[in-house]
Amino acid sequence: MISFKNVTKRFDNFTAVDNLTINFNKGETIVLIGPSGCGKTTTLRMINRLIEPTEGTIYINGTDISKLDVVELRRNIGYVIQQIALFPHMTIAQNIGLVPYLKNWPEKKRKERVEELLEFVGMPPSEFYHRYPNELSGGQQQRIGVARALAADPEIILMDEPFGAVDPITRATLQEELLQMQDKLGKTIIFVTHDMDEALKLADKIAIMKDGKVLQYDSPEQLLTNPAHGFVEEFIGKDRLIRQPEFINVKDIMIKNPVTILPERTLTQALEKMRRQKVDSLMVVDKTDKFIGLITANDVLQNFDNAEKVAEIYKTDVHYVSEDANVSQVLAIMAEKQVGYVPVISDDQKLSGLITRSSLVNVLGQRLTK
Amino acid sequence: MTLLSYFLNNPDTIFRLILEHLQLTGSAILTAIIIGVPLGIAITRHKRLADIMLAITSVFQTIPSIAFFGLLIPFLGIGKRTAILVLFLYALLPIVKNTYTGIKEVSPFMIDAGRGMGMTNMQILRMVELPQSLSVIMAGVRIATVINIGTTTIAAYIGAGGLGELIFTGIQMYRNEMILAGAIPAAILAILADQVLGYVEYKLTPKGLRKTK
């Protein structure tokens, strides 16, 4: 779908992107990640020609994009940035309908499209159509930012740290929504972030970049189990152990005191607890500490109006492992069931710990630096 | 009492001078808008040019008005033409400067988003930069107008007409009621212009940018 052939970008004496050759497949979410100055944003911005390469060629569906009309090219690529940058003087509808307007869609078609997209991002048109951006929360604004990028139904969407400016709970919700959106729409998304958890959560493929080069370009599971030597290992959080994951016991690396909640608690209390503990999910346990389920920030927010207690909405069909399981089994569950959390349960059904994708990475990283 | 009777006995003269005053100020401001706004926009695209232009226009502003008239009389003679030129040059700085500042203050991320969505430079100017800086530009017009109504009274000294005529003649003839008949309407004009343009400024601020009252 998108391919870079020997692309180099130099700014004065600084080489931002160095002889990059890479292919991004249609319908995949590709995350570009790396420390600042690694060239990830430059790479992204060359796709819609906000930055022109110094050398090399970029192709979209086989066409050299430098041969295309630049304005037309950009109108056919969605663009979302961290600063959101909704136009404050335009209504929500005008913001979303901007690219269709630039493309001269008839007014009726534009209006229908805007309403459809507002529904799609869960913001009823009757309530939001005529509002202005400054009346919305940060999370709502970025939902509109995403809707605006989708407006003319582009095949490719570029997202430059889109969730970098919102609080952790909203971020988790927006990430969840992006995954759901991707299930329905199957866009080709190029996503820049410096947050490894976000990358692992969203990506079909991750490209780890440093000094303008891609060091490894692989699926999240491959990166976790077979990282390239040196920087990639370090960047993910080194893991000599994960290379033989069957030898690591979950008991040794699980989070010992996962944040829990009783089913009798209200949703407001659940949210407050997540906020305080900076997590996006809670383990539901009964008074004897027996594990009975799991609740995520997304569950809470989606059911906030129609439920009161945690008991009404928590998930019970959670995949868990026993204390003597090994990391290999956890990875298998994560990959197979597409889950980010795996609770660890003792023989008497009590919650003894929790493993998340990020805890895997963090703990393994710590072990090596010791 | 003499003031009131002066007003009652000379309504035509006062009315004519008010119109003349407005005409002088109005034509200077209008020209300054027509030239100053595009100039202000143009210099946002060119840093060095901006420094030079803003320096020149602020020099105009620092010359005392009476001296400025004096400087131009040898070349242009006395009368309306010279007066309007000076008034125009005075109005230029606030308008150019506010246009420049207003557009410069638009967040670069807005422009990046606009460009990334496929707006042309003209569309970015028309749909992003101008709407967001309109109220700042209007504030410049408002300052220029209020200052100009004041300076226009001095223009009577070089035979341009306007309410200053009554003031200067009154001073020469030691007639206080005549001075006031020029000064009071001039002051009211300035206050009114400030109020009206303040309202226009508010109206031109896009709804999404208005501060809630």
Side-chain angles (χ1 to χ4, degrees), chain A residues 45 48 50 71 74-75 77 79 81 83-90 98-99 101-102 132 134 148, chain B residues 109-120 123 126-129 131-132 206-210:
Chain A
R45 290 167 67 88
N48 63 357
L50 286 168
V71 164
R74 288 175 188 154
R75 287 177 189 172
I77 296 177
Y79 186 50
I81 59 176
Q83 297 77 13
I84 307 175
L86 295 181
F87 298 123
H89 57 288
M90 296 185 189
L98 194 68
V99 177
Y101 173 83
L102 296 174
Y132 284 91
N134 64 359
R148 181 170 71 171
Chain B
F109 300 120
M110 296 286 164
I111 294 166
D112 183 59
R115 183 156 288 132
M117 282 189 292
M119 286 183 169
T120 61
Q123 284 166 334
R126 191 166 52 84
M127 296 170 71
V128 181
E129 292 176 306
Q132 290 189 44
K207 271 201 192 114
L209 287 171
R210 280 182 202 164

Short mmCIF file of all heavy atoms in Angstrom, two decimals, chain A residues 45 48 50 71 74-75 77 79 81 83-90 98-99 101-102 132 134 148, chain B residues 109-120 123 126-129 131-132 206-210:
data_model
loop_
_atom_site.label_atom_id
_atom_site.label_comp_id
_atom_site.label_asym_id
_atom_site.label_seq_id
_atom_site.Cartn_x
_atom_site.Cartn_y
_atom_site.Cartn_z
N ARG A 45 5.18 12.45 8.25
CA ARG A 45 4.85 13.67 7.51
C ARG A 45 5.33 13.65 6.06
O ARG A 45 4.91 14.49 5.26
CB ARG A 45 5.42 14.89 8.23
CG ARG A 45 4.69 15.19 9.54
CD ARG A 45 5.44 16.18 10.40
NE ARG A 45 5.50 17.51 9.83
CZ ARG A 45 4.57 18.44 10.01
NH1 ARG A 45 3.53 18.19 10.74
NH2 ARG A 45 4.69 19.63 9.45
N ASN A 48 2.19 12.47 3.64
CA ASN A 48 1.30 13.45 3.00
C ASN A 48 2.05 14.70 2.54
O ASN A 48 1.47 15.77 2.37
CB ASN A 48 0.10 13.80 3.90
CG ASN A 48 0.49 14.47 5.21
OD1 ASN A 48 1.68 14.63 5.49
ND2 ASN A 48 -0.49 14.84 5.99
N LEU A 50 3.94 16.84 3.88
CA LEU A 50 4.17 18.03 4.68
C LEU A 50 5.68 18.25 4.79
O LEU A 50 6.15 19.33 5.04
CB LEU A 50 3.54 17.89 6.07
CG LEU A 50 2.01 18.02 6.08
CD1 LEU A 50 1.44 17.59 7.41
CD2 LEU A 50 1.58 19.44 5.75
N VAL A 71 -2.15 18.89 -2.96
CA VAL A 71 -3.40 19.19 -2.26
C VAL A 71 -4.37 18.02 -2.37
O VAL A 71 -4.99 17.59 -1.38
CB VAL A 71 -4.01 20.49 -2.84
CG1 VAL A 71 -5.46 20.64 -2.44
CG2 VAL A 71 -3.20 21.70 -2.36
N ARG A 74 -3.29 15.13 -0.10
CA ARG A 74 -3.59 15.34 1.32
C ARG A 74 -5.08 15.17 1.61
O ARG A 74 -5.46 14.69 2.68
CB ARG A 74 -3.13 16.73 1.76
CG ARG A 74 -1.62 16.83 1.83
CD ARG A 74 -1.19 18.23 2.14
NE ARG A 74 0.26 18.38 2.04
CZ ARG A 74 0.86 19.52 1.78
NH1 ARG A 74 0.15 20.63 1.59
NH2 ARG A 74 2.17 19.58 1.71
N ARG A 75 -5.91 15.59 0.67
CA ARG A 75 -7.35 15.45 0.88
C ARG A 75 -7.78 13.98 0.91
O ARG A 75 -8.86 13.65 1.36
CB ARG A 75 -8.12 16.20 -0.21
CG ARG A 75 -8.04 17.70 0.01
CD ARG A 75 -8.73 18.49 -1.08
NE ARG A 75 -8.41 19.91 -0.89
CZ ARG A 75 -8.72 20.87 -1.75
NH1 ARG A 75 -9.35 20.57 -2.88
NH2 ARG A 75 -8.40 22.11 -1.50
N ILE A 77 -5.92 11.64 2.40
CA ILE A 77 -5.26 10.98 3.53
C ILE A 77 -5.75 11.65 4.81
O ILE A 77 -5.72 12.87 4.92
CB ILE A 77 -3.73 11.14 3.42
CG1 ILE A 77 -3.18 10.43 2.17
CG2 ILE A 77 -3.05 10.58 4.67
CD1 ILE A 77 -1.70 10.58 1.96
N TYR A 79 -5.66 12.91 8.66
CA TYR A 79 -4.53 13.45 9.41
C TYR A 79 -4.99 13.86 10.80
O TYR A 79 -5.88 14.68 10.94
CB TYR A 79 -3.96 14.65 8.64
CG TYR A 79 -2.69 15.24 9.19
CD1 TYR A 79 -1.61 14.44 9.51
CD2 TYR A 79 -2.57 16.62 9.37
CE1 TYR A 79 -0.43 15.00 10.00
CE2 TYR A 79 -1.40 17.18 9.86
CZ TYR A 79 -0.32 16.37 10.17
OH TYR A 79 0.82 16.92 10.65
N ILE A 81 -3.46 15.02 14.69
CA ILE A 81 -2.24 15.37 15.42
C ILE A 81 -2.51 15.49 16.91
O ILE A 81 -3.65 15.60 17.34
CB ILE A 81 -1.60 16.67 14.89
CG1 ILE A 81 -2.57 17.86 14.98
CG2 ILE A 81 -1.13 16.49 13.47
CD1 ILE A 81 -1.94 19.18 14.55
N GLN A 83 -2.02 17.86 18.98
CA GLN A 83 -2.62 19.11 19.46
C GLN A 83 -4.09 19.22 19.04
O GLN A 83 -4.73 20.25 19.27
CB GLN A 83 -1.84 20.31 18.91
CG GLN A 83 -0.41 20.38 19.40
CD GLN A 83 0.50 19.40 18.68
OE1 GLN A 83 0.14 18.83 17.66
NE2 GLN A 83 1.69 19.18 19.21
N ILE A 84 -4.59 18.17 18.41
CA ILE A 84 -5.97 18.08 17.97
C ILE A 84 -6.28 19.13 16.91
O ILE A 84 -6.66 18.80 15.81
CB ILE A 84 -6.98 18.17 19.14
CG1 ILE A 84 -6.61 17.15 20.21
CG2 ILE A 84 -8.40 17.88 18.62
CD1 ILE A 84 -7.44 17.19 21.47
N ALA A 85 -6.09 20.41 17.28
CA ALA A 85 -6.22 21.49 16.30
C ALA A 85 -7.55 21.49 15.57
O ALA A 85 -7.60 21.64 14.36
CB ALA A 85 -5.05 21.48 15.31
N LEU A 86 -8.63 21.33 16.31
CA LEU A 86 -9.93 21.62 15.73
C LEU A 86 -9.98 23.12 15.53
O LEU A 86 -9.42 23.87 16.32
CB LEU A 86 -11.06 21.19 16.67
CG LEU A 86 -11.18 19.70 16.95
CD1 LEU A 86 -12.35 19.44 17.89
CD2 LEU A 86 -11.35 18.91 15.67
N PHE A 87 -10.68 23.58 14.49
CA PHE A 87 -10.73 25.01 14.27
C PHE A 87 -11.77 25.63 15.20
O PHE A 87 -12.95 25.30 15.13
CB PHE A 87 -11.04 25.31 12.81
CG PHE A 87 -9.96 24.78 11.90
CD1 PHE A 87 -10.25 23.90 10.89
CD2 PHE A 87 -8.63 25.16 12.10
CE1 PHE A 87 -9.24 23.39 10.07
CE2 PHE A 87 -7.63 24.67 11.30
CZ PHE A 87 -7.93 23.78 10.28
N PRO A 88 -11.33 26.51 16.11
CA PRO A 88 -12.21 26.99 17.17
C PRO A 88 -13.35 27.85 16.65
O PRO A 88 -14.37 27.98 17.33
CB PRO A 88 -11.27 27.82 18.06
CG PRO A 88 -10.12 28.19 17.20
CD PRO A 88 -9.97 27.07 16.22
N HIS A 89 -13.19 28.42 15.46
CA HIS A 89 -14.23 29.31 14.94
C HIS A 89 -15.28 28.54 14.13
O HIS A 89 -16.21 29.13 13.63
CB HIS A 89 -13.61 30.41 14.10
CG HIS A 89 -12.78 29.88 12.96
ND1 HIS A 89 -11.56 29.29 13.15
CD2 HIS A 89 -13.02 29.84 11.63
CE1 HIS A 89 -11.06 28.92 11.99
NE2 HIS A 89 -11.93 29.24 11.04
N MET A 90 -15.08 27.25 13.99
CA MET A 90 -16.05 26.45 13.23
C MET A 90 -16.81 25.53 14.19
O MET A 90 -16.26 25.11 15.20
CB MET A 90 -15.33 25.57 12.21
CG MET A 90 -14.59 26.34 11.14
SD MET A 90 -13.91 25.17 9.95
CE MET A 90 -12.89 26.25 8.97
N LEU A 98 -15.00 19.36 6.92
CA LEU A 98 -14.07 20.25 6.22
C LEU A 98 -13.50 19.66 4.93
O LEU A 98 -13.54 20.30 3.87
CB LEU A 98 -12.93 20.66 7.15
CG LEU A 98 -12.12 21.82 6.61
CD1 LEU A 98 -12.95 23.09 6.60
CD2 LEU A 98 -10.86 22.04 7.42
N VAL A 99 -12.98 18.45 5.02
CA VAL A 99 -12.38 17.86 3.81
C VAL A 99 -13.46 17.62 2.73
O VAL A 99 -13.25 17.97 1.57
CB VAL A 99 -11.57 16.59 4.13
CG1 VAL A 99 -11.03 15.96 2.87
CG2 VAL A 99 -10.42 16.94 5.06
N TYR A 101 -15.97 19.42 2.30
CA TYR A 101 -16.22 20.77 1.78
C TYR A 101 -15.14 21.14 0.78
O TYR A 101 -15.42 21.63 -0.32
CB TYR A 101 -16.25 21.78 2.94
CG TYR A 101 -16.33 23.22 2.51
CD1 TYR A 101 -17.57 23.80 2.20
CD2 TYR A 101 -15.19 24.01 2.41
CE1 TYR A 101 -17.64 25.12 1.79
CE2 TYR A 101 -15.26 25.34 2.01
CZ TYR A 101 -16.49 25.89 1.71
OH TYR A 101 -16.57 27.20 1.30
N LEU A 102 -13.89 20.88 1.14
CA LEU A 102 -12.78 21.20 0.23
C LEU A 102 -12.91 20.40 -1.06
O LEU A 102 -12.50 20.83 -2.12
CB LEU A 102 -11.44 20.88 0.89
CG LEU A 102 -11.06 21.71 2.13
CD1 LEU A 102 -9.77 21.19 2.76
CD2 LEU A 102 -10.90 23.18 1.78
N TYR A 132 -19.41 24.13 19.59
CA TYR A 132 -18.08 24.58 19.22
C TYR A 132 -17.02 23.77 19.99
O TYR A 132 -17.29 23.30 21.10
CB TYR A 132 -17.91 26.07 19.51
CG TYR A 132 -18.59 26.93 18.49
CD1 TYR A 132 -19.91 27.34 18.67
CD2 TYR A 132 -17.94 27.29 17.32
CE1 TYR A 132 -20.55 28.11 17.71
CE2 TYR A 132 -18.56 28.06 16.36
CZ TYR A 132 -19.88 28.47 16.56
OH TYR A 132 -20.50 29.22 15.60
N ASN A 134 -14.53 24.48 21.84
CA ASN A 134 -14.16 24.83 23.22
C ASN A 134 -15.22 24.42 24.25
O ASN A 134 -15.03 24.57 25.44
CB ASN A 134 -13.85 26.33 23.32
CG ASN A 134 -15.05 27.20 23.04
OD1 ASN A 134 -16.14 26.70 22.75
ND2 ASN A 134 -14.88 28.50 23.13
N ARG A 148 -13.01 13.81 11.93
CA ARG A 148 -12.63 14.72 10.85
C ARG A 148 -11.70 14.03 9.87
O ARG A 148 -11.80 14.22 8.66
CB ARG A 148 -11.96 15.96 11.47
CG ARG A 148 -11.54 16.99 10.46
CD ARG A 148 -11.11 18.29 11.13
NE ARG A 148 -9.83 18.15 11.84
CZ ARG A 148 -9.16 19.18 12.35
NH1 ARG A 148 -9.65 20.41 12.25
NH2 ARG A 148 -8.02 19.01 12.96
N PHE B 109 -0.14 24.84 14.89
CA PHE B 109 -0.76 23.51 14.76
C PHE B 109 -2.04 23.58 13.94
O PHE B 109 -2.40 22.66 13.22
CB PHE B 109 -1.05 22.91 16.13
CG PHE B 109 0.19 22.73 16.96
CD1 PHE B 109 0.32 23.36 18.18
CD2 PHE B 109 1.23 21.94 16.49
CE1 PHE B 109 1.47 23.21 18.93
CE2 PHE B 109 2.39 21.78 17.24
CZ PHE B 109 2.51 22.42 18.46
N MET B 110 -2.77 24.72 14.06
CA MET B 110 -3.97 24.93 13.24
C MET B 110 -3.59 24.92 11.76
O MET B 110 -4.27 24.34 10.93
CB MET B 110 -4.59 26.30 13.53
CG MET B 110 -5.08 26.47 14.93
SD MET B 110 -6.60 25.56 15.16
CE MET B 110 -6.64 25.54 16.93
N ILE B 111 -2.48 25.62 11.50
CA ILE B 111 -2.06 25.74 10.10
C ILE B 111 -1.57 24.38 9.60
O ILE B 111 -1.87 23.96 8.48
CB ILE B 111 -0.99 26.84 9.98
CG1 ILE B 111 -1.68 28.16 10.33
CG2 ILE B 111 -0.39 26.88 8.59
CD1 ILE B 111 -0.76 29.29 10.59
N ASP B 112 -0.84 23.68 10.47
CA ASP B 112 -0.38 22.34 10.11
C ASP B 112 -1.57 21.42 9.82
O ASP B 112 -1.58 20.69 8.83
CB ASP B 112 0.48 21.77 11.24
CG ASP B 112 1.05 20.40 10.89
OD1 ASP B 112 1.78 20.32 9.89
OD2 ASP B 112 0.74 19.43 11.60
N ALA B 113 -2.58 21.49 10.70
CA ALA B 113 -3.76 20.64 10.49
C ALA B 113 -4.44 21.01 9.17
O ALA B 113 -4.81 20.13 8.39
CB ALA B 113 -4.74 20.81 11.65
N GLY B 114 -4.59 22.30 8.92
CA GLY B 114 -5.23 22.75 7.68
C GLY B 114 -4.46 22.28 6.46
O GLY B 114 -5.02 21.70 5.53
N ARG B 115 -3.15 22.47 6.50
CA ARG B 115 -2.33 22.06 5.37
C ARG B 115 -2.41 20.54 5.19
O ARG B 115 -2.56 20.04 4.07
CB ARG B 115 -0.88 22.52 5.60
CG ARG B 115 0.03 22.21 4.44
CD ARG B 115 1.23 23.12 4.41
NE ARG B 115 0.84 24.47 4.01
CZ ARG B 115 1.21 25.57 4.64
NH1 ARG B 115 1.97 25.49 5.70
NH2 ARG B 115 0.81 26.74 4.20
N GLY B 116 -2.32 19.83 6.31
CA GLY B 116 -2.36 18.36 6.26
C GLY B 116 -3.67 17.83 5.71
O GLY B 116 -3.74 16.72 5.21
N MET B 117 -4.75 18.63 5.86
CA MET B 117 -6.04 18.17 5.33
C MET B 117 -6.22 18.57 3.87
O MET B 117 -7.25 18.28 3.28
CB MET B 117 -7.17 18.76 6.17
CG MET B 117 -7.34 18.01 7.48
SD MET B 117 -8.82 18.53 8.34
CE MET B 117 -8.37 20.17 8.77
N GLY B 118 -5.24 19.26 3.34
CA GLY B 118 -5.31 19.58 1.92
C GLY B 118 -5.88 20.96 1.61
O GLY B 118 -6.52 21.16 0.58
N MET B 119 -5.67 21.93 2.52
CA MET B 119 -6.07 23.29 2.18
C MET B 119 -4.95 23.95 1.37
O MET B 119 -3.77 23.72 1.64
CB MET B 119 -6.27 24.11 3.46
CG MET B 119 -7.51 23.78 4.22
SD MET B 119 -7.62 24.90 5.63
CE MET B 119 -9.28 24.58 6.16
N THR B 120 -5.35 24.79 0.42
CA THR B 120 -4.35 25.57 -0.30
C THR B 120 -3.96 26.75 0.61
O THR B 120 -4.63 27.02 1.59
CB THR B 120 -4.93 26.12 -1.60
OG1 THR B 120 -6.04 26.97 -1.27
CG2 THR B 120 -5.43 25.00 -2.50
N GLN B 123 -6.78 29.07 1.01
CA GLN B 123 -7.82 28.55 1.91
C GLN B 123 -7.39 28.63 3.36
O GLN B 123 -8.20 28.92 4.23
CB GLN B 123 -8.16 27.10 1.53
CG GLN B 123 -9.02 27.02 0.28
CD GLN B 123 -9.08 25.61 -0.30
OE1 GLN B 123 -8.18 24.79 -0.11
NE2 GLN B 123 -10.15 25.32 -1.02
N ARG B 126 -7.97 32.23 4.26
CA ARG B 126 -9.36 32.63 4.27
C ARG B 126 -10.17 31.88 5.34
O ARG B 126 -11.02 32.45 6.00
CB ARG B 126 -9.96 32.35 2.88
CG ARG B 126 -11.31 32.94 2.62
CD ARG B 126 -11.64 32.88 1.12
NE ARG B 126 -11.46 31.55 0.56
CZ ARG B 126 -12.38 30.58 0.62
NH1 ARG B 126 -13.52 30.79 1.20
NH2 ARG B 126 -12.14 29.39 0.09
N MET B 127 -9.86 30.58 5.51
CA MET B 127 -10.71 29.77 6.40
C MET B 127 -10.12 29.56 7.79
O MET B 127 -10.83 29.17 8.71
CB MET B 127 -10.95 28.39 5.74
CG MET B 127 -11.74 28.50 4.46
SD MET B 127 -11.76 26.93 3.55
CE MET B 127 -12.83 25.96 4.60
N VAL B 128 -8.81 29.77 7.94
CA VAL B 128 -8.21 29.53 9.25
C VAL B 128 -7.64 30.81 9.85
O VAL B 128 -8.00 31.22 10.94
CB VAL B 128 -7.09 28.46 9.15
CG1 VAL B 128 -6.49 28.19 10.52
CG2 VAL B 128 -7.64 27.17 8.55
N GLU B 129 -6.74 31.47 9.11
CA GLU B 129 -6.01 32.58 9.71
C GLU B 129 -6.88 33.82 9.88
O GLU B 129 -6.93 34.40 10.97
CB GLU B 129 -4.78 32.91 8.86
CG GLU B 129 -3.73 31.82 8.91
CD GLU B 129 -2.56 32.10 8.00
OE1 GLU B 129 -2.76 32.34 6.78
OE2 GLU B 129 -1.42 32.08 8.48
N PRO B 131 -10.31 34.29 9.93
CA PRO B 131 -11.40 34.23 10.93
C PRO B 131 -10.87 34.29 12.36
O PRO B 131 -11.49 34.90 13.22
CB PRO B 131 -12.07 32.89 10.66
CG PRO B 131 -11.67 32.48 9.30
CD PRO B 131 -10.35 33.12 9.03
N GLN B 132 -9.72 33.67 12.57
CA GLN B 132 -9.20 33.64 13.94
C GLN B 132 -8.52 34.94 14.34
O GLN B 132 -8.28 35.18 15.52
CB GLN B 132 -8.23 32.46 14.11
CG GLN B 132 -8.96 31.14 14.09
CD GLN B 132 -8.07 29.97 14.48
OE1 GLN B 132 -7.32 30.04 15.42
NE2 GLN B 132 -8.17 28.89 13.72
N PRO B 206 -15.67 35.12 15.93
CA PRO B 206 -16.50 33.93 15.71
C PRO B 206 -17.04 33.39 17.03
O PRO B 206 -16.35 33.46 18.05
CB PRO B 206 -15.51 32.94 15.10
CG PRO B 206 -14.40 33.77 14.56
CD PRO B 206 -14.33 34.98 15.41
N LYS B 207 -18.24 32.87 17.00
CA LYS B 207 -18.91 32.41 18.22
C LYS B 207 -18.04 31.50 19.06
O LYS B 207 -18.01 31.62 20.28
CB LYS B 207 -20.20 31.66 17.85
CG LYS B 207 -21.39 32.56 17.74
CD LYS B 207 -22.67 31.73 17.90
CE LYS B 207 -23.89 32.55 17.52
NZ LYS B 207 -24.57 32.06 16.32
N GLY B 208 -17.35 30.58 18.41
CA GLY B 208 -16.55 29.61 19.14
C GLY B 208 -15.37 30.23 19.87
O GLY B 208 -14.72 29.58 20.67
N LEU B 209 -15.07 31.50 19.55
CA LEU B 209 -13.91 32.13 20.16
C LEU B 209 -14.28 33.20 21.17
O LEU B 209 -13.44 33.76 21.85
CB LEU B 209 -13.03 32.78 19.08
CG LEU B 209 -12.25 31.82 18.21
CD1 LEU B 209 -11.61 32.56 17.04
CD2 LEU B 209 -11.17 31.13 19.01
N ARG B 210 -15.60 33.52 21.24
CA ARG B 210 -16.01 34.58 22.15
C ARG B 210 -15.85 34.15 23.58
O ARG B 210 -16.15 33.02 23.93
CB ARG B 210 -17.49 34.93 21.91
CG ARG B 210 -17.65 35.83 20.71
CD ARG B 210 -19.11 36.18 20.53
NE ARG B 210 -19.33 36.58 19.16
CZ ARG B 210 -20.51 36.67 18.59
NH1 ARG B 210 -21.59 36.35 19.29
NH2 ARG B 210 -20.62 37.04 17.36
#
